[in-house]
């Protein structure tokens, strides 16, 4: 089972590829990476970070890979630095995703109802067009609003289902502890213990675990249930162990949940 993770390398702050690699590996996947940018930290809460877009390298990597017999069961994309990168990801997916493979998109746009630095409406429109090519999208509540203009999560989910068969709205601030996903033509709710506070990188931990579950062939509900359990445990640990939440989630000692679930395959 082979997965391509397209995301940035934030050297400190535990998100993007530094999360995707261990989490997907714990799910038993062989993980190839296509880095979109190199940053000293992520952009959520740090100032003075460095940012090197890797567009030129991505093109060259694509050219080289085109000479190799590569194909992926899952292509999973996260933080993208520009509209051009969004278009490029479509090209990569068309070229390297197996015919029966799955395309998982985490439409990284923002949090707390604002865009992350450097993103705007035009970028959100580009991200919407990428979501339209995905099998599964995992916007958080802010991103579901930025993609649809709807603050009501049920309405946002409905609109998202018009562009992608399986939207999943992540984030744990739903009033009575559940998150929403779309299956068999209707809204479904997955119970989720609510933990107060904001946990940077939680979306990346969630999306990576979910992509790993899908790569293992779990049905949507089971994939979400295992992912939610893993994230909940990581959040509880982070709440206790990480004083400054911008440094990301302490998920590492909960990875056994994934290795156990997929052992013996
Ligand atoms: O966790 C999402 C994310 C990924 N990559 C970068 C980010 C963020 C959110 O702040 O800044 C570079």
């Amino acid at each position: 089972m082979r997965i391509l993770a397209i995301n940035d390398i934030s050297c400190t702050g535990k998100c993007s590829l530094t999360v995707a690699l261990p989490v997907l590996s714990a799910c038993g996947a062989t993980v190839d990476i296509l880095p979109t940018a190199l940053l000293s930290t992520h952009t959520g809460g740090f100032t003075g970070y460095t940012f090197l877009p890797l567009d030129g390298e991505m093109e060259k990597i694509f050219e080289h890979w085109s000479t190799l017999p590569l194909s992926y069961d899952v292509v999973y994309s996260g933080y993208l630095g520009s509209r051009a990168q969004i278009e490029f990801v479509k090209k990569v997916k068309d070229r390297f995703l197996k015919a029966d493979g799955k395309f998982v998109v985490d439409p990284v746009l923002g949090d707390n109802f604002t865009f992350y630095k450097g993103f705007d409406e035009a970028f959100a429109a580009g991200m919407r067009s990428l979501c339209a090519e995905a099998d599964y999208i995992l916007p958080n509540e802010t991103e579901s609003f930025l993609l649809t203009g709807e603050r009501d999560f049920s309405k946002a989910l409905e609109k998202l289902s018009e562009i992608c068969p399986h939207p999943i709205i992540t984030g744990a601030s739903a009033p009575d502890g559940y998150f929403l996903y779309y299956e068999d033509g209707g809204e479904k709710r997955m119970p989720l213990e609510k933990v107060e506070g904001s946990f940077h990188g939680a979306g990346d931990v969630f999306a990576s675990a979910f992509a790993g579950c899908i790569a293992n062939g779990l049905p949507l509900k089971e994939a979400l249930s295992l992912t939610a359990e893993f994230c909940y445990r990581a959040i509880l640990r982070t709440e206790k162990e990480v004083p400054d939440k911008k440094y990301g989630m302490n998920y590492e000692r909960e990875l056994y949940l994934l290795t156990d679930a997929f052992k013996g395959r």
Side-chain angles (χ1 to χ4, degrees), residues 7-10 14-16 37 39 41-45 51 78-79 106 108 116 143 200-204:
N7 218 325
D8 69 273
I9 301 174
S10 288
K14 289 205 271 189
C15 62
S16 318
L39 300 88
T41 67
H42 61 71
T43 66
F51 182 89
Y79 182 95
D106 181 3
V108 177
Y116 291 131
E143 289 152 355
H200 198 279
D204 303 49

Side-chain angles (χ1 to χ4, degrees), residues 84-134:
Q85 285 193 358
I86 292 173
E87 295 311 311
F88 188 73
V89 168
K90 293 178 188 171
K91 189 168 110 174
V92 172
K93 183 263 297 176
D94 288 344
R95 175 71 179 74
F96 294 110
L97 184 64
K98 287 183 183 167
D100 60 351
K102 302 291 180 208
F103 185 30
V104 177
V105 172
D106 181 3
V108 177
L109 288 171
D111 212 348
N112 300 316
F113 286 90
T114 46
F115 282 110
Y116 291 131
K117 291 191 188 84
F119 295 163
D120 57 15
E121 291 295 342
F123 186 78
M127 200 53 105
R128 207 161 30 245
S129 73
L130 187 64
C131 289
E133 302 200 4

